[in-house]
Amino acid sequence: MLDTDKRSTRQPTRSPGRLARGVAAFTARHKWALAVVWLILLGIGGASAVSLNASLSNGGWWVEGSDSVTAMHKAQDGFDARGPSSAALLVHDRNHSAGSPEFDARTRDVFDQVTADPRMHATQSFGWSTLSPANRAPFLGKDNATVVTTIGMSVDEDTATKELPSLTKEFTERYDAEGLDVSIVGGPVFWGEVNEQSTAGLIKAELITLPLIVLILLVLFRSVAAVLASLAVGVTSIVLTLGIFAPIARHVELSIFVENVVTMLGLGVGIDYSLFIIRRFKDELADGNSVEDSVATSLRTSGHTVVASGFTIVVAMSAVVFIHL
């Protein structure tokens, strides 16, 4: 009678290497201790990552020694309403026109109150609010109801970029009921808004893509445990990396876009690499191998692929260090 049992068509795998088998055995013996260590590190990384955003730089657009930086430093001295950073205060009166006593009084009150606010770090100003009526024309809009004054601040561009967007919203809301449109405009406000929109966009993208990732993983693995393990790899890599960057950012300038890059790589590469190992692990179990042997074989095969691929990404991204724009 012919043997009709189904046989695996996969080629038999080689015996796992000594290192892979040693790691698998160590993991099997100390799995609960390792899980506790992992949770502790995750907690430390999460606590550290909370403070990261306050240390990240909104700048990073200037290259020391370049002509543009030299010109910027020279422009900060010898000019009215200039300083380490500067912005323009724009006021539009919806109820009165320039030349009327009411317009002059209302706009002057706005300029005085805004520049007196300690959060503005104002050191000097130049424009509509500082000139005589005979010299104000260049700072008056064509609508005859909008005026502007430039304000020099004592803080650097990075600090101004972080603080001015929220102040702009506050001043706009404060004077709106009085029929005045008040805005702070300039480079720091623009880049601050870009950073805020980028952060909001990242959160929105994560909320949209994470359910899709879970759905795709469920289709591929058909196992909730495998999906949770894959997501744990991605989330852990993000939290620990951000936690490591937090103390570094206090001493080295790091762009706020670090958070975007870490999240992108953590979810993309982390989940992608976990797919390799989990898929191989499940195949080894399906062939009747023990859990320990399956782990060892997965580390020796897919694990080597992950290490080589990860090292390639590190080397490729590190190349930007040697590029000076």
Side-chain angles (χ1 to χ4, degrees):
M1 184 175 180
L2 296 176
D3 184 2
T4 58
D5 290 343
K6 294 183 179 180
R7 303 293 182 183
S8 173
T9 58
R10 293 177 64 243
Q11 295 295 322
T13 58
R14 294 183 297 171
S15 177
R18 181 177 301 176
L19 178 61
R21 183 171 291 280
V23 172
F26 179 82
T27 304
R29 288 195 304 269
H30 306 286
K31 58 183 178 181
W32 295 116
L34 290 173
V36 171
V37 171
W38 172 71
L39 289 174
I40 292 174
L41 291 176
L42 193 61
I44 295 174
S48 176
V50 171
S51 64
L52 174 62
N53 191 265
S55 302
L56 294 176
S57 170
N58 291 274
W61 311 107
W62 305 101
V63 178
E64 290 299 328
S66 64
D67 291 341
S68 58
V69 170
T70 301
M72 179 183 67
H73 289 324
K74 290 183 177 180
Q76 292 175 357
D77 300 320
F79 293 89
D80 288 334
R82 297 291 299 182
S85 60
S86 60
L89 180 59
L90 198 69
V91 180
H92 171 73
D93 193 332
R94 300 195 296 267
N95 302 326
H96 303 280
S97 299
S100 65
E102 295 84 359
F103 181 87
D104 289 347
R106 283 157 60 86
T107 55
R108 184 171 294 280
D109 285 343
V110 172
F111 288 126
D112 290 344
Q113 292 172 20
V114 171
T115 54
D117 192 311
R119 295 171 297 173
M120 283 294 298
H121 308 283
T123 56
Q124 54 182 324
S125 58
F126 180 78
W128 175 269
S129 64
T130 64
L131 298 174
S132 63
N135 298 314
R136 287 175 170 176
F139 301 92
L140 175 65
K142 292 182 179 180
D143 60 357
N144 204 42
T146 303
V147 292
V148 63
T149 289
T150 303
I151 300 174
M153 296 174 289
S154 60
V155 295
D156 57 27
E157 288 272 348
D158 188 40
T159 302
T161 300
K162 292 179 180 178
E163 297 180 357
L164 287 187
S166 60
L167 284 177
T168 298
K169 294 185 179 74
E170 179 181 325
F171 292 140
T172 299
E173 294 172 358
R174 180 192 302 178
Y175 294 104
D176 181 65
E178 301 178 23
L180 295 166
D181 298 321
V182 178
S183 301
I184 303 175
V185 298
V189 182
F190 172 78
W191 288 114
E193 287 291 341
V194 169
N195 292 337
E196 288 186 3
Q197 291 297 322
S198 175
T199 301
L202 177 62
I203 294 174
K204 183 178 180 180
E206 291 172 349
L207 293 176
I208 294 174
T209 58
L210 197 57
L212 295 177
I213 291 173
V214 172
L215 179 61
I216 293 172
L217 292 177
L218 282 172
V219 172
L220 291 174
F221 287 139
R222 301 175 186 269
S223 168
V224 174
V227 172
L228 292 177
S230 182
L231 289 176
V233 172
V235 172
T236 300
S237 64
I238 293 172
V239 173
L240 290 182
T241 303
L242 293 178
I244 292 172
F245 275 142
I248 295 176
R250 299 188 188 102
H251 305 284
V252 179
E253 184 181 22
L254 296 179
S255 170
I256 194 171
F257 293 107
V258 161
E259 295 177 316
N260 301 60
V261 174
V262 169
T263 302
M264 176 182 66
L265 291 178
L267 287 178
V269 176
I271 292 177
D272 187 34
Y273 286 172
S274 67
L275 286 173
F276 297 158
I277 297 178
I278 293 176
R279 181 74 267 173
R280 185 56 185 261
F281 175 73
K282 293 187 66 176
D283 288 343
E284 293 298 322
L285 287 178
D287 282 352
N289 296 312
S290 67
V291 172
E292 186 174 324
D293 286 342
S294 298
V295 170
T297 301
S298 298
L299 291 177
R300 183 183 61 79
T301 54
S302 297
H304 286 182
T305 301
V306 168
V307 171
S309 180
F311 181 74
T312 301
I313 291 177
V314 170
V315 172
M317 297 195 69
S318 297
V320 298
V321 175
F322 303 100
I323 300 175
H324 298 284
L325 300 177

